[in-house]
Amino acid sequence: MVKNYVLDTNVLVHDPESIYSFEDNNIVIPLPVLEELDSLKRRSDSVGRSARQVVRELDRLRQSGDLSKGVRLENGGTLTVMSLTNLREDFVEYFRSKYIDNWILAYVVRLSRTSSIPTILVSKDISLRVKASALGIQAQDYLTDRSNLALLPDGYRMSERTISEGESLDGFLENEYIKSPNGYFKVKQGKAAKLSLDLSSTIWGVQPLNEEQLYAMDAMMDDDVSLVTLVGMAGTGKTLIALACALEKTINQKKYRRIIVARPLVPMGKDVGFLPGSLEEKLEPWMQPIMDNLEFLFDRVEMSLKEFLKKNVMEIEALSFIRGRTIPNQFVIIDEAQNLTPHEVKTILTRIGNNTKVVLCGDPYQIDTPYLDKDSNGLVYAASRLIGNPLVAHITLKMGVRSALASLAAERL
């Protein structure tokens, strides 16, 4: 049965292609949403880019018809921009404010009263969905790119029987790791391959402290794997072992030309532009965790980090500066990837050139970006959609190694 789906602004910003995700149903965009997109398009961050992309797509669609009457979409649905002038008969006084969310609710109520088919509000704003339900309006989250972290495989299993090198393995994912009584294996082209690393192996002065780290380090050292997703709580060593493997592959093995380490700038307050100083000084608070790990690693191999950074072999930068680039022959680490939307992760991965390895790491339970949660963030989205492909390896790290207190706090608080 065909339905009316009214899209909130945050859905369009979260996924600029969301208008094509509702099959043959009717997509309705209230005029206040366009007003909000217009105010957002001037921003220089990912929100502004998404707003501009949506506006450009709407401009393209209006070439084929009247948006106010509905334009046919390629997937069989229709898109309508809804405009109302008189809402007084629908709402009590406090809903006639300039607050955009209230106006969107007014549009949904009017549509539900005048349309003979079900009307559903789609929003990533929990508060707006609650208000809609209080008004008798059916409301839901944007579910198209939503994953389920609880269903994401760990990337490794335990086998009670011995496994032979080259043995065919049914029921296992590609690049899945197996602990057997006779050693550690991984699945390559459907067959068992014994790991070249073990718990005594050292990479850039670092030994794996548990089996999860061993699997992660093996995946990052495997030249056949182009993408590694590391999901784990704070203190499991994700960033440290990723940096160690990047240094080993780039400096010692000469496999890659350069290392790029990037993090999304997600402040808990003011934007980076409000901070004083040069760009490097502005980025320093966000990049300091990376520098802390690098100092530890270079102390382990008794090398000078300062001298190494002068060689320009490593770039440490904000993730926003990676957009628009083609990145070949590099080892790329995206830290705090749980703060990215699925669309942003897709944008980054589609910029990757030949002979480049990407590591996405983060903690889905520590998200600072509005409208993202443990199931809808880009890290879990990428891991869920790509796991099992020969180019991809995924590892869930569960054991905290930073300190007993850090592990306790991550688990209990």
Side-chain angles (χ1 to χ4, degrees), residues 43 50 56 145 184 193 201 205 244 358:
R43 292 175 51 164
S50 294
R56 284 194 296 268
D145 58 7
Y184 299 103
S201 301
V358 181

Side-chain angles (χ1 to χ4, degrees), residues 317-337:
E317 58 186 30
L319 190 58
S320 56
F321 300 134
I322 287 184
R323 284 180 176 269
R325 297 172 57 180
T326 299
I327 309 171
N329 303 309
Q330 300 181 48
F331 196 115
V332 181
I333 300 172
I334 309 296
D335 199 22
E336 302 292 334

Side-chain angles (χ1 to χ4, degrees), residues 304-315:
S304 170
L305 175 59
K306 185 178 294 186
E307 292 300 318
F308 168 75
L309 293 176
K310 290 180 181 178
K311 298 177 181 179
N312 294 323
V313 180
M314 175 178 284
E315 293 181 25

Side-chain angles (χ1 to χ4, degrees), residues 235-258:
T236 51
K238 303 180 298 294
T239 306
L240 179 68
I241 61 175
L243 287 169
C245 292
L247 291 165
E248 181 71 24
K249 296 296 291 187
T250 305
I251 306 305
N252 291 341
Q253 297 187 15
K254 310 294 184 184
K255 173 65 178 176
Y256 304 101
R257 181 172 58 87
R258 180 177 293 180

Side-chain angles (χ1 to χ4, degrees), residues 359-405:
V359 178
L360 299 175
C361 51
D363 179 2
Y365 293 98
Q366 291 192 354
I367 294 177
D368 304 310
T369 305
Y371 308 129
L372 292 183
D373 58 32
K374 64 181 179 63
D375 296 318
S376 64
N377 65 87
L379 172 62
V380 173
Y381 175 79
S384 300
R385 296 299 197 280
L386 300 177
I387 190 172
N389 187 285
L391 296 176
V392 180
H394 166 75
I395 301 296
T396 299
L397 294 97
K398 301 176 181 179
M399 297 181 62
V401 296
R402 182 173 292 160
S403 68
L405 177 59

Side-chain angles (χ1 to χ4, degrees), residues 261-272:
V261 185
R263 308 180 90 204
L265 298 185
V266 185
M268 295 188 67
K270 293 183 178 180
D271 186 79
V272 63

